Amino acid sequence: NDDGEIIVSGIADAVAYDANGRIEVIVDWKSDVDIDAKRLNSYRGQLAAYQRHTGASRGFLVLMTSGKAIAA
């Protein structure tokens, strides 16, 4: 656009595609041993950005150490 070019980069751990080949689900694993609210909110923002830029309708943060999955 007139304001310039925006480049977005990120690495999700896993994605699932729908029948049309579009990303439908993004999964991001985290291995933090002791996660605090600030860090968790940061991860939620990261996952939301992945969803926004790919058009994925669902996303999950998987906290490996605690064995919890958080749907976004």
Side-chain angles (χ1 to χ4, degrees):
N1 62 28
D2 293 339
D3 295 331
E5 184 175 57
I6 298 172
I7 298 173
V8 177
S9 175
I11 299 173
D13 292 305
V15 297
Y17 296 92
D18 66 14
N20 297 313
R22 286 177 256 155
I23 296 174
E24 182 177 16
V25 181
I26 295 179
V27 181
D28 202 11
W29 282 275
K30 300 300 181 187
S31 60
D32 303 56
V33 173
D34 187 24
I35 191 167
D36 61 21
K38 183 177 179 182
R39 172 78 43 107
L40 185 56
N41 284 335
S42 172
Y43 290 157
R44 284 183 170 140
Q46 180 184 39
L47 185 60
Y50 289 165
Q51 287 181 258
R52 185 172 53 254
H53 291 289
T54 63
S57 60
R58 297 182 296 163
F60 295 92
L61 285 174
V62 178
L63 307 178
M64 296 185 310
T65 303
S66 65
K68 295 179 182 178
I70 301 169

